[in-house]
Amino acid sequence: MTRWPRIRAGLRGAPPAAPPDEATAAALAERMAAAAQTRLGRSLAVCFLDAGSCNGCELEARMLAGAVHDLERYGITLVATPRHADVLLVSGPVTRAMQEPLLRAHEAMAEPKWVVALGDCAIDAGVFKGGYGVLGGVDAAVPVDLSIRGCPPTPGQILDALRALLQANATA
Amino acid sequence: MSEAAALIRAAPALPCAPWPRHLLTAEAWRALAAALPGQPALALLALWADSGHVHALFRDEDTGAILPASVAVAAGAYPALSPARPAAAWFERMILDLWGHAAEGGTDARPWLDHGRWPVQAPLSPRPVPVGGPPEPPGFLPADGPGLHVLPLGPVRGGIAEPAQLRLAVQGELVVRLETRLGWLHKGTLALLRGKSPRAAARFAARLAGDSTVAHAIAFARAAEAASGVAAPPRAAMLRAVMAEIERLAGHLADLASLGQAAGFAPLPALCLPLREALLEAAAAAFGHRLMMDCVVPGGVAAAIAPGGEAAIAAALTRLEAALPALARLHDGSGSLLRRLVGVGVVTPALTRALAAGGVVGRATGRAVDLRRHPGYPPYDGLDVPLPSRQAGDADARVRQRLDELPHAIALLRELLAGPAEGAIGVALPPASGEGIGFAEGYRGDIWHWLRLDGGLIAACFPRDPAWLHWPLAEAAMAGGAVEDLGLVLASFHDSCAGMDL
């Protein structure tokens, strides 16, 4: 309270305000955007894609949506199309037949996008390495950002990985 | 004995345990194909091949006799069975894709597993042909007619689903025909199995279809044991059955949950998934793996129940049993759910009989089929396995059938766990040469494995997943149905793709 008269006096004698520095404004805007991302970006839309799995990973991924693990409480939602997804969660060794559908799904996603390889097969084709119908791990078709080990990974492990991605997204 | 069965039995028998395999001449095979339309009781369970022969597995539904039959491939072809047995069509397409044997007079010669993306054609034949040129576009059945349009779906179907390409020929809101194209998951598992010991190959058998990993592993192990002339010790058979019944309960609960999801009825998954989770956690405590993958091995089981495992299973069973009345009330007392299920996705008993459907799909049309009862295998041959069935054949009957089977599996598990807990849990397989058939009742239906060992290594093999006979029924069930019921009908069948894409 006691400072206010002094400030007012200082303002009265101050030179007219110069227009704000453009570079500073741009930097601030960037920081604002980052802060907004931290506060508002705590959600992740995940699209699941089976590129050749034995359906073991699907069984465990399906448990995520259930009442026990309930991934929606972390702001993670399963979406039905790659067009709505931030993350493509890919299971299985990529079969030669599924290479093109996987590429098309990846292309359909909006930037920024992440690919998560789910399970040992998705990492390096697992036990199916060398099968004539197998192209390889997911990185043989599209760039992979995060891998989740396990055959199949437990719902807890999948959830931990997705939450780590969420955290990285928020603090990036 | 029927005329067709007599034709098979008259042919010379080759050693194959537990049922000799009859080698028919091309003439006898043709006569068999001609006799089949008049012999509906002779069910075709599987059709597969090796480099020189085509094999069929029949069951005489009147006597229960299992009849394996073979015919030599001459000039790259064999007489087709698909004109007489609709189920043979997909097998014949698969045989052409994998071994290059053509079905003479078959109803459908379009590729099935081979999408033109493999480096070779006929990869399991002695001389695979390198592929040149880009893949041909898939040939779907034509759908021309006034007011008819085609709704293409898949292979990426949205949600957590296995890849399958679906073509719906639609007139307004009604589905005129559903055509399925699978093979997206084909990894070449049969080629990977060849030349491996049964012990090494069991990892692949456990990953044919993750949802039925225990049942497939049991059928595979029993085939390897039959081919080697040994049997798993009683304690191992008992532990296998414990795993199989946990898988059955967990599988039925998962199916009920996905049915609820497909019907837009959230209380069903909300009730079923925590119960399933409790079972999977109990399985992890008892056997070290939630799905019990690699816990069944040829000769026995990998390990006995861990300390505390039996208590964990018992606790999960108590919890499930306490929830059964609520589950039944939820289904029976929810008009909104019943309206979606009753009369939807109907298959007739004549159709399930023609396709020799087992499992929930077969039993929901009154078929008294369950491999645990007939032909029976240890330890079920010493237990009373109840055989509930329903008549309606619609999605509701398949739900009720699953609900009916839950208390029986709980009772069986309790009986198994109360038995004596001593004895060996495995035997070593000798490096034998021989041929064997193994089978197990999975939660989706009957699973059959055939394999031939040469000096203790796999020379040829074929696993028959129940989906081979159930997918065509799901197609038939959609005809005349509403487009909006597609997800619901498919969930009520729950046909795996991985199990038959090999």
Side-chain angles (χ1 to χ4, degrees):
Chain A
M1 289 299 276
T2 50
R3 266 181 233 153
W4 181 238
R6 246 190 296 157
I7 292 170
R8 200 169 43 184
L11 279 174
R12 210 176 279 143
D21 178 49
E22 273 181 31
T24 314
L28 269 176
E30 214 173 272
R31 276 176 56 201
M32 277 288 286
Q37 182 80 5
T38 313
R39 285 178 180 81
L40 308 173
R42 299 193 69 88
S43 79
L44 209 56
V46 178
C47 177
F48 188 91
L49 196 150
D50 173 355
S53 118
C54 74
N55 79 30
C57 289
E58 282 68 16
L59 293 177
E60 292 296 49
R62 216 170 277 150
M63 293 306 289
L64 282 177
V68 181
H69 299 284
D70 186 20
L71 82 177
E72 299 224 355
R73 73 190 142 135
Y74 301 107
I76 307 170
T77 48
L78 283 175
V79 294
T81 157
R83 290 184 206 284
H84 297 166
D86 306 310
V87 176
L88 196 60
L89 186 60
V90 189
S91 70
V94 179
T95 63
R96 292 182 192 275
M98 281 305 288
Q99 181 184 10
E100 195 184 324
L102 173 58
L103 278 174
R104 285 206 208 172
H106 189 250
E107 276 164 20
M109 292 170 75
E111 293 282 358
K113 55 188 168 188
W114 291 271
V115 175
V116 176
L118 176 63
D120 289 349
C121 289
I123 293 171
D124 62 354
V127 296
F128 297 106
K129 212 177 292 169
Y132 60 82
V134 172
L135 184 74
V138 176
D139 60 2
V142 292
V144 171
D145 299 288
L146 181 69
S147 299
I148 308 175
R149 286 221 161 268
C151 184
T154 63
Q157 286 168 328
I158 307 174
L159 200 52
D160 284 349
L162 290 178
R163 288 178 63 202
L165 195 63
L166 197 60
Q167 196 65 35
N169 179 21
T171 54
Chain B
M1 198 188 344
S2 68
E3 181 200 343
L7 270 169
I8 297 173
R9 285 189 200 276
L14 300 173
C16 176
W19 303 287
R21 184 164 58 80
H22 297 273
L23 181 58
L24 279 70
T25 60
E27 292 74 48
W29 186 273
R30 262 191 204 96
L32 172 68
L36 281 177
Q39 312 271 332
L42 198 64
L44 178 74
L45 298 177
L47 190 68
W48 71 100
D50 57 27
S51 50
H53 293 83
V54 167
H55 313 291
L57 187 68
F58 290 100
R59 176 173 59 207
D60 190 331
E61 304 235 313
D62 292 336
T63 64
I66 306 290
L67 295 164
S70 304
V71 64
V73 175
Y78 63 98
L81 295 182
S82 50
R85 288 287 178 272
W90 287 9
F91 287 115
E92 286 173 359
R93 293 166 72 178
M94 174 269 294
I95 290 171
L96 182 62
D97 285 352
L98 296 186
W99 288 278
H101 309 324
E104 228 167 48
T107 53
D108 201 337
R110 290 174 296 157
W112 179 245
L113 296 180
D114 190 352
H115 294 192
R117 309 269 173 172
W118 306 339
V120 290
Q121 267 178 340
L124 297 184
S125 70
R127 270 174 291 281
V129 189
V131 171
E136 304 231 334
F140 285 101
L141 294 173
D144 302 320
L148 212 60
H149 64 279
V150 170
L151 185 61
L153 296 169
V156 179
R157 287 190 284 166
I160 302 178
E162 293 179 90
Q165 202 170 12
L166 307 174
R167 283 283 162 121
L168 290 155
V170 178
Q171 197 153 36
E173 282 295 301
L174 285 186
V175 175
V176 178
R177 183 178 59 214
L178 165 64
E179 194 189 357
T180 319
R181 181 167 172 258
L182 302 182
W184 299 94
L185 299 170
H186 184 83
K187 299 177 267 287
T189 311
L190 297 189
L192 289 168
L193 282 164
R194 283 200 302 205
K196 290 200 167 62
S197 69
R199 185 71 195 239
R203 283 179 66 77
F204 296 93
R207 284 161 186 78
L208 279 162
D211 58 9
S212 301
T213 173
V214 173
H216 265 292
I218 292 175
F220 174 79
R222 285 172 43 76
E225 288 153 12
S228 325
V230 299
R235 170 105 175 114
M238 176 284 231
L239 289 169
R240 285 177 181 179
V242 169
M243 295 184 215
E245 295 308 314
I246 294 177
E247 183 174 85
R248 189 177 325 280
L249 288 171
H252 282 344
L253 288 169
D255 281 359
L256 291 169
S258 51
L259 253 155
Q261 255 148 14
F265 187 71
L268 203 50
L271 183 57
C272 290
L273 288 180
L275 296 172
R276 173 179 156 87
E277 178 72 18
L279 278 167
L280 297 187
E281 281 301 308
F287 299 103
H289 192 285
R290 283 163 57 93
L291 305 180
M292 296 164 285
M293 254 176 196
D294 302 321
C295 293
V296 174
V297 294
V301 293
I305 297 180
E310 290 191 23
I313 297 173
L317 292 183
T318 307
R319 184 173 165 189
L320 173 56
E321 193 173 41
L324 287 182
L327 200 52
R329 265 201 313 276
L330 190 58
H331 168 245
D332 233 1
S334 304
S336 60
L337 178 64
L338 290 179
R339 261 198 300 281
R340 291 296 312 274
L341 296 173
V342 176
V344 168
V346 180
V347 281
T348 60
L351 208 52
T352 51
R353 186 177 159 93
L355 269 293
V360 166
V361 175
R363 292 193 283 273
T365 58
R367 277 169 61 77
V369 282
D370 188 329
L371 296 184
R372 293 174 296 170
R373 272 173 69 115
H374 208 92
Y377 54 102
Y380 299 106
D381 38 13
L383 297 168
D384 178 31
V385 183
L387 187 56
S389 69
R390 293 272 167 178
Q391 300 296 327
D394 57 359
D396 186 56
R398 290 187 283 278
V399 170
R400 286 177 195 275
Q401 182 65 32
R402 290 184 175 101
L403 290 172
D404 289 349
E405 292 182 12
L406 292 177
H408 298 313
I410 294 174
L412 272 174
L413 263 171
R414 291 209 170 118
E415 202 175 337
L416 287 163
L417 289 171
E422 58 261 1
I425 58 162
V427 289
L429 293 192
S433 298
E435 211 177 291
I437 293 174
F439 53 91
E441 183 75 18
Y443 82 97
R444 286 188 283 114
D446 49 332
I447 293 174
W448 299 82
H449 278 239
W450 170 85
L451 67 84
R452 179 157 57 218
L453 292 179
D454 190 3
L457 300 179
I458 294 172
C461 63
F462 185 73
R464 207 295 318 262
D465 190 88
W468 279 103
L469 307 179
H470 292 173
W471 258 113
L473 286 170
E475 284 188 346
M478 272 313 291
V483 178
E484 60 169 16
D485 286 337
L486 177 71
L488 187 66
V489 171
L490 291 184
S492 76
F493 279 91
H494 182 203
D495 297 321
S496 152
C497 301
M500 55 184 295
D501 278 351
L502 302 171

